[in-house]
Amino acid sequence: MCVPGCQEAVRHALSRRGFFKGAAASFAATAAATGDAQAAPRAFTRVVDLTHTMSPDFPTFLGEPGIAMEKKFDLKKDGYNLHWWHLNEHAGTHLDPPIHFSETGITADKIPADTLVVPLAVIDVAAKAAGNPDYQLSRDDLAAWERRHGRLPPNCCVAMHSGWAQHVTNPATFTGRDAGGVLHFPGVSGETTEWLLKQRKVAGLAVDTMSLDHGPSKDFKTHVLWLSAGRWGLENVANLDKVPAAGATLVVGLPKVRDATGGPVRLFALV
Ligand SMILES: [Zn+2]
């Protein structure tokens, strides 16, 4: 079975690269059109890791380390190495499931696997965000993407590339925390979120900053609207500058912990 949106993704990838003349491409195109199970693995040529390395130094929303690692067993002493992790569910590159902002929303373990392998649409707002740390992804940004790449594919993940990942080793800039304790980094506007919910069929939102809502937000409107509508979000996403704006498939590797209200993820973009 082709994953949701896979056929669109394959078509985008093929037309983007101008591969239609190649024999391999025509096989992939035929396979995609017929829903051949072999189609998906043949549709990508490289894997891009969209995950930051997690550590106690990784900048966090609350300002405290997001992970502590306790060495319980040591190879020399015990014959093997083993850490006990003490982990904040919402630190590092991680997923927000619906329960995070909705009493009736599902927990991370209940998110269906087939909604975690989806087409990836990357919206580049890095130039705008460079001059405005409080930038919010707008409907105009989405319209500009659709003019170039066509309508957002069904069940895709819309990712905001603000350029913030480059600041991750500099917590002062990454969090933008000012003298009054207010944070400053880009996010997705509530209006854009509302429009996506009403006008497009999107599975997830992703940002390269600490929060779906921009830093100064007090009402977390995007979190509330998006998660209470049963969608998921990804925060602190890495390497969005290394994937095409359209055509990649995102694979979200999410730990299956009962009742989890979030969790670290390993993200792969199949390009
Ligand atoms: Zn979160």
Side-chain angles (χ1 to χ4, degrees):
M1 190 192 88
C2 210
V3 296
C6 158
Q7 293 181 24
E8 287 83 348
V10 170
R11 230 175 288 128
H12 274 299
L14 292 175
S15 60
R16 180 168 43 80
R17 296 173 192 153
F19 274 9
F20 271 116
K21 286 172 190 155
S26 55
F27 169 80
T30 308
T34 55
D36 189 315
Q38 299 302 308
R42 287 169 192 270
F44 67 93
T45 53
R46 63 191 173 99
V47 178
V48 180
D49 193 341
L50 301 184
T51 324
H52 287 295
T53 299
M54 186 51 180
S55 78
D57 304 324
F58 197 93
T60 63
F61 201 88
L62 301 173
E64 301 163 358
I67 188 170
M69 294 171 72
E70 185 188 347
K71 191 142 197 183
K72 282 277 188 187
F73 296 96
D74 181 81
L75 184 69
K76 284 200 183 72
K77 191 156 69 73
D78 307 302
Y80 57 95
N81 284 319
L82 188 150
H83 283 116
W84 193 269
W85 294 359
H86 302 269
L87 183 72
N88 177 334
E89 290 172 328
H90 291 268
T93 305
H94 71 275
L95 181 138
D96 286 7
I99 187 75
H100 187 39
F101 269 77
S102 159
E103 236 170 278
T104 55
I106 57 171
T107 48
D109 51 310
K110 298 281 192 334
I111 297 179
D114 64 357
T115 68
L116 294 172
V117 181
V118 294
L120 178 64
V122 180
I123 321 293
D124 185 352
V125 296
K128 293 174 178 176
N132 175 13
D134 296 334
Y135 188 76
Q136 297 190 78
L137 182 79
S138 69
R139 281 179 55 184
D140 283 351
D141 297 326
L142 296 178
W145 188 96
E146 289 196 332
R147 274 196 300 278
R148 286 197 67 179
H149 306 287
R151 193 178 170 95
L152 286 165
N155 301 310
C156 70
C157 171
V158 171
M160 175 192 75
H161 166 43
S162 73
W164 238 243
Q166 67 180 314
H167 303 309
V168 79
T169 53
N170 181 350
T173 312
F174 193 71
T175 64
R177 200 180 302 274
D178 66 21
V182 177
L183 306 179
H184 298 278
F185 53 77
V188 180
S189 80
E191 188 203 13
T192 303
T193 305
E194 241 164 1
W195 183 85
L196 279 172
L197 285 170
K198 285 193 185 125
Q199 303 297 331
R200 295 292 182 270
K201 193 168 180 284
V202 173
L205 269 183
V207 294
D208 55 0
T209 57
M210 286 196 297
S211 173
L212 299 177
D213 290 276
H214 74 159
S217 174
K218 293 268 180 286
D219 57 6
F220 301 107
K221 193 170 176 193
T222 290
H223 271 93
V224 172
L225 288 169
W226 193 251
L227 301 180
S228 63
R231 312 301 210 276
W232 48 258
L234 294 168
E235 292 163 335
N236 295 323
V237 177
N239 293 327
L240 286 172
D241 57 335
K242 301 197 173 54
V243 290
T249 297
L250 174 70
V251 179
V252 181
L254 176 66
K256 204 168 178 179
V257 178
R258 190 174 62 203
D259 299 337
T261 75
V265 286
R266 188 76 186 256
L267 302 178
F268 307 100
L270 312 181
V271 180

